[in-house]
């Protein structure tokens, strides 16, 4: 069990003992936060050139946006939010994100899923403008299956109207189109706002 040291230049990065020795980091004698002396073989973390025990580091460490656990080790910052590197996954397809992604209220979304969702939202918007609720329903269901949260009033209106299609149909209203337009803006159809 080797000791672990932190990086003075990055308060969320920590170094192993060999790397800390290579950078001439001195071994602290006690935790700078709780003042408990360090024992031989105990993990020691350096933060701003001060030694900390693992318990104090976990209290002081930023929480991962995805898993809500303290970040000790490798981390990335996306859209100003900290993540464990292993937590950078698409909330839609669950694949690890290695390229650009989009931060949405539902979480991180890979570029491919974001484009697919934007296309489906665009299709839904056009169907509602035409008043084609029967065709809008499967598109809306596909979006919801992918984790897109559409306004409840929209889903109720589309589901209710699609049931009335056999009775002469129901027109999509401007209100329905406005609800999809609001959801559409969230997903940013031009892929602006993607983070690399």
């Amino acid at each position: 069990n080797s000791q672990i040291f932190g990086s003075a230049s990055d308060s969320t990065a920590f170094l192993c003992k060999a790397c800390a020795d290579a950078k001439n980091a001195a071994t602290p004698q006690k935790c700078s936060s709780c003042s408990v002396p360090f024992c031989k073989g105990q993990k020691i973390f350096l933060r701003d050139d001060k030694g900390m025990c693992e318990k104090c580091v976990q209290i002081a460490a930023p929480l991962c946006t995805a898993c809500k656990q303290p970040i000790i080790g490798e981390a990335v910052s996306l859209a100003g939010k900290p993540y464990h590197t292993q937590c950078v996954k698409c909330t839609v397809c669950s694949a690890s994100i290695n390229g650009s992604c989009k931060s949405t209220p539902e979480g991180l979304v890979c570029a491919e899923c974001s484009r697919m969702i934007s296309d489906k939202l665009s299709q839904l918007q056009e169907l509602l403008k035409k008043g084609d609720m029967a065709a809008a329903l499967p598109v809306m269901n596909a979006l919801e299956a992918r984790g897109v949260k559409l306004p409840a009033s929209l889903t109720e209106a589309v589901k209710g109207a699609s049931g009335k299609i056999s009775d002469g149909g129901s027109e999509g209203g401007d209100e329905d189109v406005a609800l999809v337009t609001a959801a559409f803006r969230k997903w940013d159809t031009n892929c602006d706002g993607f983070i690399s």
Side-chain angles (χ1 to χ4, degrees), residues 11-131:
S11 62
T12 62
F14 297 94
L15 307 172
C16 68
K17 178 145 177 32
C19 293
D21 288 344
K23 292 182 179 251
N24 298 318
T27 303
Q29 302 303 309
K30 64 181 181 175
C31 176
S32 63
S33 184
C34 68
S35 300
V36 173
F38 294 123
C39 301
K40 185 175 180 164
Q42 179 180 358
K43 289 184 179 180
I44 301 171
F45 299 86
L46 287 181
R47 187 173 188 181
D48 300 326
D49 293 327
K50 295 178 182 173
M52 293 176 74
C53 66
E54 188 170 12
K55 181 179 177 183
C56 290
V57 167
Q58 288 184 350
I59 292 168
L63 297 181
C64 174
T65 303
C67 72
K68 309 298 184 226
Q69 295 299 310
I71 296 177
I72 298 175
E74 289 187 41
V76 295
S77 179
L78 296 170
K81 297 176 183 175
Y83 292 86
H84 290 108
T85 54
Q86 68 271 21
C87 291
V88 181
K89 294 182 179 182
C90 177
T91 58
V92 176
C93 69
S94 300
S96 292
I97 298 174
N98 296 320
S100 63
C101 64
K102 183 160 179 63
S103 180
T104 71
E106 287 79 22
L108 296 175
V109 179
C110 69
E112 184 176 332
C113 286
S114 186
R115 284 185 190 94
M116 180 274 304
I117 289 168
S118 290
D119 290 347
K120 290 281 186 198
L121 284 168
S122 180
Q123 182 183 7
L124 181 59
Q125 190 177 35
E126 290 303 312
L127 291 168
L128 290 173
K129 282 180 186 176
K130 294 177 186 175

